[in-house]
Amino acid sequence: QVHLVEAGGGLVQPGGSLRLSCAASGSIFSINVMGWYRQAPGKERELVASITSGGSANYADSVKGRFTISRDNAKNTLYLQMNSLKPEDTAVYYCKAEVMTVGNIRYREVWGQGTLITVSS
C-alpha cells in the first residue's frame, strides 16, 4: 500500500502565495513522474505541473511563471510553490505519483486525497 498525503491548502488573498506538499509513504521502491492536478467546481480535473525523477518540469500555460514544482527524492515528497495567486486558481489540488512498490515491476498511479485552495478577498 502506498499513500499520498497533501498539505498546505487554505484561503489566500489574490496576489498571495501558498506552498503545497505531498508526501508518499508505504512500500515504495521507486517513484517516476509526480504531478499536481486541480479540479475547480463544475470543471474537469486538469494538469497543473509535473516533474520527472530527474527534475524535468512541465507546466500548464495558465500557471507558467507563477508556480514552481519541485521534489525531494530522498523524502519521496513533492512540492508546489504558488505565487501571484488568482481567483481562477481556486480548486481542489491533487497530487499524483507513478509508484513502483517493493516486489513489483510495474509503475501504477497513486492519487492523494486532495486539498482545497480558495483564492478570494
Side-chain angles (χ1 to χ4, degrees):
Q1 281 279 7
V2 175
H3 299 280
L4 301 182
V5 178
E6 297 113 335
L11 174 65
V12 63
Q13 293 187 341
S17 298
L18 279 177
R19 188 189 194 213
L20 300 182
S21 65
C22 171
S25 63
S27 300
I28 299 169
F29 178 75
S30 175
I31 301 179
N32 192 14
V33 178
M34 302 183 81
W36 290 100
Y37 291 73
R38 67 186 180 187
Q39 187 166 19
K43 295 188 177 181
E44 294 186 354
R45 191 173 298 188
E46 62 176 2
L47 173 68
V48 175
S50 63
I51 186 168
T52 67
S53 58
S56 294
N58 178 57
Y59 296 92
D61 288 342
S62 58
V63 306
K64 281 181 181 177
R66 300 189 297 123
F67 290 11
T68 302
I69 190 171
S70 61
R71 61 191 283 177
D72 185 331
N73 291 331
K75 296 181 179 180
N76 289 331
T77 301
L78 178 70
Y79 303 97
L80 185 68
Q81 178 66 43
M82 302 180 290
N83 300 327
S84 302
L85 283 160
K86 304 175 181 179
E88 51 263 43
D89 294 318
T90 295
V92 177
Y93 283 70
Y94 300 88
C95 68
K96 187 184 81 170
E98 297 175 359
V99 181
M100 181 184 293
T101 52
V102 175
N104 286 281
I105 61 171
R106 298 183 186 277
Y107 287 97
R108 68 180 183 91
E109 293 184 350
V110 181
W111 288 87
Q113 81 284 358
T115 185
L116 176 63
I117 292 175
T118 303
V119 184
S120 175
S121 54

